[in-house]
Amino acid sequence: MSKSNIETIVIVGAGQAGASAILELRANKYQGKIILVGDEMHLPYERPPLSKDVILKPEGTKIEILSEQKLADLNVDVIRGNAVVKINPQQHNIELQNGDVIAYDKLLLATGGAARRLPDFDALGKHVYTLRNLEDSQALVPVLQAGRRILLIGGGVIGLELASSARFKDCQVTVIEMGSMVMGRCSPSILSEFLLAQHRQKGIDIRLSTQITACRLELTQAGEEVVVTLVNGEELRADAVVYGIGIIPNAQLAVEAGLDTDLAIKVNQNCQTSNPDIYAAGDVATQLREDGQYRRVETWENANSQAGVFARHVMNIEHPVANPAWFWTDQLDLNFQFVGDMAAQEWHIRGDMDATLGADSSFVMFGVNNGQIVAGITVNAAKEMRHLKKMIAKQAVFTSDKHLDLSLDLKKV
């Protein structure tokens, strides 16, 4: 496909993937029309700070990715607060909530996901929150106040980041997790145990392997409180509940358009859906991997990476070699970065993994399969991450004498 015969690219979803696609297209000299359609009134903004800095430093945190001026400089037509209600693949157009119809040559679906719901809690109405967008985050600022009892349901990344933010604001924090470990979907057990110890040392009450059987609102002399009953009969009382138990990809448009989906939109290595003129990227896309399996990855980096794949493919530009999967989380003054396969068979620690050191902790972990480095984790050692990425990309052989020797610079190992 030549660059000249693509006249209009429409991007549905004004989040990380949508913004990254715009930047990548223009960086590669795409001269055609770009139309960005978002259902929020906001311009594209960063999501990772929503559970941290937007709550802790709401006045001083800038999360905008593309300003109005930048979008104008990039010659992008922006439609805000007007959701897409239908895709017509045969006609190559989309229909908007207000009745407008927009034609496209290529379409990118970057619609993200919505919080997986807990209907029993939603039915309470008051004092129950989720976190997915800027309004959700802003709503939590007055809720997370000193002394208030905050109950967090879900011990994944978002749950632990919110626990950290709530504790920094001197809330009484309890986390309920159905699984047997925190961050169980994306962390090896040895680091999960370290995380658990860190949170408990800060006074956060984390309940593992715990199920909820009921919830209700109760009126007290001080006002309303949420009462949560656990499977063992114990009742927990809270001033507010925040739940984060994963997301549901916003794939309904694709389903109704007849595209191949499971829970998410299936895409190939080029981020194309079953319709070659429609692509998907970010949390809404499940991509065909080298092992023949479809996998969906909920990270900032993946949204950027898939947006870049889309942009280069529509412009017939070769893809660079994919980097190992990478993500990060900030909790309790600790920075954790993860790269590669978190299901590695063995984990080796470089440095002192002492949970009692708290924010002074600093170490590196190597994930190894059959003698080869396939993963890495840094804790308060972000400068080492680039070396871990290179080792994984080069399929480096792990040698404990070298890789665990603190007298040796990792750059030179």
Side-chain angles (χ1 to χ4, degrees):
M1 179 188 301
S2 68
K3 299 177 188 179
S4 60
N5 63 3
I6 306 173
E7 295 179 359
T8 302
I9 291 176
V10 174
I11 298 170
V12 180
Q16 188 72 45
S20 295
I22 290 168
L23 293 169
E24 192 76 32
L25 286 166
R26 291 305 190 211
N28 284 293
K29 310 303 182 193
Y30 171 68
Q31 299 296 321
K33 191 171 190 176
I34 299 177
I35 302 172
L36 177 65
V37 184
D39 58 359
E40 292 185 66
M41 287 304 299
H42 306 290
L43 294 172
Y45 60 88
E46 298 268 10
R47 308 255 168 180
L50 296 182
S51 55
K52 303 179 283 284
D53 288 350
V54 173
I55 291 171
L56 296 173
K57 299 177 282 188
E59 302 303 321
T61 300
K62 304 298 181 192
I63 61 174
E64 195 173 72
I65 304 171
L66 294 173
S67 66
E68 203 156 357
Q69 184 59 55
K70 180 66 173 176
L71 286 161
D73 293 345
L74 292 168
N75 194 22
V76 177
D77 293 345
V78 182
I79 297 171
R80 293 194 257 176
N82 195 0
V84 177
V85 295
K86 189 176 183 183
I87 303 168
N88 298 307
Q90 263 63 48
Q91 291 79 23
H92 275 67
N93 65 37
I94 58 172
E95 299 176 22
L96 305 187
Q97 203 164 32
N98 68 353
D100 287 352
V101 176
I102 298 174
Y104 65 83
D105 293 302
K106 300 291 180 183
L107 177 66
L108 173 65
L109 301 176
T111 48
R116 188 184 295 274
R117 309 309 304 189
L118 289 176
D120 288 351
F121 280 93
D122 291 346
L124 299 181
K126 293 181 181 179
H127 317 302
V128 175
Y129 303 84
T130 59
L131 178 60
R132 192 64 196 159
N133 59 34
L134 181 55
E135 282 77 15
D136 294 340
S137 185
Q138 291 169 336
L140 286 171
V141 173
V143 172
L144 303 182
Q145 297 298 327
R148 299 199 79 205
R149 299 163 299 170
I150 306 300
L151 181 62
L152 291 159
I153 301 174
V157 174
I158 294 296
L160 294 187
E161 287 180 352
L162 281 171
S164 174
S165 295
R167 198 71 193 96
F168 275 135
K169 297 188 81 172
D170 290 325
C171 298
Q172 298 176 38
V173 183
T174 302
V175 178
I176 296 178
E177 168 56 44
M178 283 181 63
S180 59
M181 55 191 278
V182 294
M183 280 179 58
R185 288 174 55 206
C186 55
S187 171
S189 59
I190 186 171
L191 187 75
S192 175
E193 290 166 11
F194 176 84
L195 277 161
L196 181 64
Q198 292 294 325
H199 282 264
R200 284 178 169 165
Q201 280 175 204
K202 291 293 185 181
I204 297 169
D205 180 8
I206 296 184
R207 312 287 188 95
L208 299 176
S209 303
T210 300
Q211 295 188 30
I212 295 169
T213 58
C215 60
R216 68 181 190 274
L217 283 181
E218 197 167 286
L219 190 61
T220 69
Q221 288 184 336
E224 286 183 326
E225 63 183 12
V226 182
V227 182
V228 173
T229 306
L230 306 182
V231 73
N232 64 359
E234 182 182 359
E235 288 189 343
L236 302 178
R237 296 173 179 270
D239 298 301
V241 172
V242 190
Y243 70 81
I245 56 167
I247 70 165
I248 300 291
N250 291 325
Q252 194 58 33
L253 282 171
V255 171
E256 292 170 359
L259 304 179
D260 285 351
T261 59
D262 44 26
L263 185 65
I265 305 172
K266 289 185 173 182
V267 299
N268 63 16
Q269 293 93 332
N270 301 317
C271 289
Q272 281 174 301
T273 69
S274 52
N275 182 307
D277 291 331
I278 303 178
Y279 297 69
D283 289 352
V284 77
T286 181
Q287 190 167 23
L288 184 64
R289 308 292 172 170
E290 289 181 359
D291 60 5
Q293 302 297 310
Y294 284 91
R295 279 195 299 280
R296 194 171 61 82
V297 179
E298 296 174 20
T299 66
W300 176 91
E301 187 204 37
N302 183 65
N304 288 336
S305 173
Q306 289 183 330
V309 168
F310 152 76
R312 289 187 291 273
H313 189 257
V314 297
M315 296 186 67
N316 199 25
I317 297 171
E318 189 175 352
H319 303 329
V321 176
N323 293 319
W326 167 79
F327 72 99
W328 82 94
T329 176
D330 294 313
Q331 300 173 28
L332 304 172
D333 285 330
L334 288 158
N335 172 256
F336 299 85
Q337 297 196 25
F338 304 75
V339 63
D341 181 8
M342 291 301 117
Q345 297 162 355
E346 306 167 18
W347 287 92
H348 302 270
I349 300 160
R350 174 187 168 94
D352 189 1
M353 190 183 193
D354 184 350
T356 64
L357 293 173
D360 293 325
S361 297
S362 180
F363 56 89
V364 172
M365 298 174 65
F366 294 91
V368 177
N369 282 347
N370 302 317
Q372 180 185 317
I373 298 172
V374 297
I377 298 172
T378 63
V379 177
N380 278 358
K383 62 182 174 53
E384 307 290 14
M385 179 49 65
R386 65 182 184 276
H387 307 314
L388 293 175
K389 288 179 178 179
K390 287 179 181 175
M391 291 175 190
I392 296 167
K394 291 179 179 177
Q395 300 181 327
V397 173
F398 175 77
T399 309
S400 59
D401 290 351
K402 291 193 305 180
H403 290 100
L404 304 186
D405 186 344
L406 292 175
S407 70
L408 299 177
D409 188 336
L410 273 187
K411 182 180 180 179
K412 298 173 182 176
V413 171

